[in-house]
Amino acid sequence: MTDKYQVPQRLDDPELIGLWTVDEFLAMVVPFGWGILSRHIFIGLLIAGVAWFGLRKAKAGRASSWLLHAAYWYLPGSFVRLKLTPPSHCRLLAG
């Protein structure tokens, strides 16, 4: 007798594009696209491979949000343009 309902076994798996997560795929496609547009395909492939490998090692079993949290704490606010707490003189205006 087969069950009428199926329960997914792994709910927290990230979305995949082929064999890669979305952020790994973008880390490969963006440098490769730059390489094609600038006529430096081999340099684009090399940068894409290094970006994929570096991102994979940086995540190392953690969620993708870990990199966003690290960028928030360790990079200057103007570099990443993440939302920050408004300065004290603007808090009354924010409501």
Side-chain angles (χ1 to χ4, degrees):
M1 176 177 202
T2 61
D3 290 333
K4 185 176 178 181
Y5 303 104
Q6 284 186 321
V7 178
Q9 298 297 319
R10 296 174 283 176
L11 295 174
D12 294 333
D13 284 349
E15 293 184 29
L16 298 176
I17 298 176
L19 300 173
W20 307 281
T21 60
V22 175
D23 53 348
E24 290 172 352
F25 183 75
L26 288 176
M28 289 188 309
V29 169
V30 170
F32 181 65
W34 169 83
I36 290 175
L37 292 175
S38 66
R39 297 183 184 174
H40 294 96
I41 296 173
F42 293 114
I43 295 173
L45 278 172
L46 180 67
I47 293 172
V50 168
W52 171 76
F53 184 74
L55 183 62
R56 187 112 175 166
K57 289 296 179 180
K59 286 181 9 181
R62 299 181 187 121
S64 299
S65 60
W66 179 81
L67 291 173
L68 185 63
H69 294 285
Y72 177 81
W73 286 107
Y74 296 116
L75 294 176
S78 61
F79 182 75
V80 184
R81 299 207 187 275
L82 296 171
K83 292 182 180 179
L84 300 173
T85 305
S88 62
H89 68 276
C90 295
R91 289 187 190 145
L92 295 175
L93 301 175

